[in-house]
Amino acid sequence: MSDSTATRATTDAASADSTQSGVAITLDKVTKVYPGQETPAVDDFSMSVRPGELVMFVGPSGCGKTTTMKMINRIIEPSSGSIAIDGRDVLSLNPNELRRHIGYVIQQIGLFPHMTIAENIAVVPRLLGWSKQKIADRVDELLQTVQLDPGTFAARYPKQLSGGQQQRVGVARALAADPPVMLMDEPFGATDPITREKLQAEFLRLQESIGKTIIFVTHDFDEAIRLGDRIAVLSDRSQIEQFDTPANILSGPANDYVRSFIGQGAALKRLALIPVTDAKLKAASGASGVPSVPVEASLRDALDALVLAGVPAIDVVDGDGRAVGAVSVEAISEVLGAELPGVPPAGA
C-alpha cells in the first residue's frame, strides 16, 4: 500500500467512532533471523486471525512468542515472509503510521510519569491531529470504560495510581485512537493474583463491547484459557504445536508438549469454560437458605460451591434470585464423562 493510502487511513481513523470492529490479520511464512545467529528466532510462522478474535500466544520464555507479536507492528522487522492487516501489507507502510493504528499494551505499562493520566491517554490522538474537544471527550469516555472516574483520575499522575489502576490506563491509552488491532504483551503479569483476576474480568467485559482483533502474549496457560477465543501453543522458534479453542485443546491436546502446558486438572479447567446451564438441571429445592450459584456461572463455580457447602445439589438462580433448577455433582460428572477426578460417571 502506498504512503498516500496510509495517510488516508490515518484520516479515516481520526474520524472513526467507538463502534469500529476488529479486522483480519494474516501472517504468512514469517521468519526472523538476528544478525550473527544461524538459528531463526521465529521460523516460517503462518497464522490467520479472524476479525474481532482474541488470540493467545502461550509458550515458554524465549520461544519467540513476543518476537512474533512485535513483528506485526514492526517494532521488530521480519527477515522474510508477509504480514497483512485487513488485507493491507504492513511491510509497505511507514512504521510510525502503522503503530499509531495498532494499540500496544505491555507488562511495564510505560506511562509517561511527567504527564497526567488524561495527557497519557491523549498521546496518539494528538499525533493524529484530533481537536482538543474530541480528545477531551475521548479521554472521559475511555476512563469511564475502564472504570476510572474522569473527575477523580484525569488530572492525577501515574505515581498517584495503584499498579492495577495504571494498567487500566495503559489499556485506555492503547484504545485512544480506536485501533482495529491491539497487541498485548503479558499486560497483567506484574500484578498480584487478586488484581490480575479483576483486570482479566474487566478486560473480557471490555472486549465484548469493543470487538477488537487482539494478539495477547502470556506464559500463563490458565490466563490463556480464561481470555482466549483461540490459543496458539508455541514451542521453540514460534513453532505452532496446536492452534484451537481452549475447550478443544483441553479435551484433545495435540501432543505431549501441549499436555505439559495444560498440566494437572484438565477436566477442572474445562469446567471453567462450560456454563452451568449445560448440565442437566433437576428441580430446584425451593427451600430458603439453600446454597446457590447464578445462572451465568460456570460448572467450575458450581463445583466449588458444592464442595464448600458439602451438599448433594445446589440451586441455580436467575438475576431476580428465582431458582430455575438445581445442579449436582453427578450432573457435572455427566457433562465431562468420567474425567472429573473422584466422581463416578452418572448412573454408575
Side-chain angles (χ1 to χ4, degrees):
M1 183 169 57
S2 66
D3 284 345
S4 61
T5 305
T7 301
R8 186 171 66 252
T10 300
T11 304
D12 291 344
S15 61
D17 60 32
S18 59
T19 62
Q20 181 180 1
S21 59
V23 295
I25 302 174
T26 304
L27 298 94
D28 185 31
K29 300 183 182 302
V30 175
T31 295
K32 178 62 181 179
V33 181
Y34 287 103
Q37 295 186 359
E38 295 182 3
T39 303
V42 175
D43 190 10
D44 203 34
F45 184 94
S46 296
M47 174 180 286
S48 293
V49 180
R50 296 185 284 262
E53 189 172 29
L54 201 171
V55 170
M56 310 293 292
F57 286 2
V58 62
S61 297
C63 75
K65 58 186 183 295
T66 296
T67 299
T68 303
M69 184 196 71
K70 286 183 176 180
M71 286 192 285
I72 295 173
N73 66 354
R74 294 177 62 188
I75 289 177
I76 295 175
E77 294 284 353
S79 302
S80 62
S82 65
I83 302 171
I85 295 178
D86 197 21
R88 298 168 177 171
D89 177 12
V90 304
L91 301 181
S92 67
L93 299 177
N94 178 292
N96 291 326
E97 291 293 337
L98 171 69
R99 291 172 199 141
R100 290 172 188 173
H101 302 289
I102 297 178
Y104 188 46
V105 187
I106 60 176
Q107 179 175 327
Q108 292 81 13
I109 308 170
L111 300 180
F112 299 111
H114 61 287
M115 292 183 179
T116 66
I117 298 308
E119 290 168 341
N120 266 280
I121 295 172
V123 167
V124 173
R126 279 203 306 270
L127 290 172
L128 295 175
W130 290 21
S131 69
K132 289 184 178 180
Q133 186 58 55
K134 183 174 181 179
I135 290 174
D137 291 344
R138 182 63 171 158
V139 168
D140 281 0
E141 176 190 1
L142 286 170
L143 284 173
Q144 291 171 358
T145 299
V146 297
Q147 298 183 338
L148 294 173
D149 176 51
T152 302
F153 291 96
R156 290 186 181 180
Y157 288 86
K159 66 180 181 180
Q160 297 174 300
L161 274 60
S162 69
Q165 290 169 337
Q166 289 184 37
Q167 196 59 265
R168 292 190 217 175
V169 174
V171 172
R173 184 176 63 180
L175 289 168
D178 203 22
V181 171
M182 291 184 66
L183 306 178
M184 309 187 75
D185 189 4
E186 304 215 34
F188 311 138
T191 56
D192 64 86
I194 294 175
T195 300
R196 186 180 309 127
E197 186 171 338
K198 290 180 179 178
L199 287 170
Q200 289 170 349
E202 290 174 4
F203 180 68
L204 284 174
R205 174 191 59 79
L206 183 61
Q207 173 63 356
E208 286 182 2
S209 63
I210 61 178
K212 304 298 183 185
T213 304
I214 300 173
I215 304 294
F216 190 122
V217 168
T218 183
H219 68 277
D220 185 341
F221 192 75
D222 288 337
E223 180 171 65
I225 291 170
R226 183 177 188 190
L227 299 181
D229 295 316
R230 285 193 291 172
I231 300 172
V233 182
L234 306 181
S235 59
D236 191 40
R237 296 173 290 115
S238 258
Q239 298 300 292
I240 300 174
E241 299 294 334
Q242 191 166 2
F243 183 34
D244 209 334
T245 64
N248 286 344
I249 290 176
L250 287 171
S251 62
N255 52 39
D256 288 341
Y257 180 87
V258 177
R259 289 188 191 92
S260 72
F261 264 93
I262 294 173
Q264 299 297 316
L268 292 177
K269 292 174 182 177
R270 283 183 61 198
L271 289 179
L273 302 174
I274 304 173
V276 68
T277 49
D278 278 15
K280 187 180 295 182
L281 302 182
K282 61 182 183 179
S285 69
S288 62
V290 172
S292 64
V293 291
V295 71
E296 64 270 17
S298 70
L299 285 179
R300 177 60 187 268
D301 296 328
L303 182 63
D304 287 347
L306 281 162
V307 171
L308 289 172
V311 294
I314 57 172
D315 284 350
V316 178
V317 298
D318 62 19
D320 296 322
R322 293 175 299 203
V324 298
V327 63
S328 63
V329 173
E330 289 75 19
I332 295 173
S333 176
E334 187 174 6
V335 172
L336 291 180
E339 295 185 44
L340 190 61
V343 178

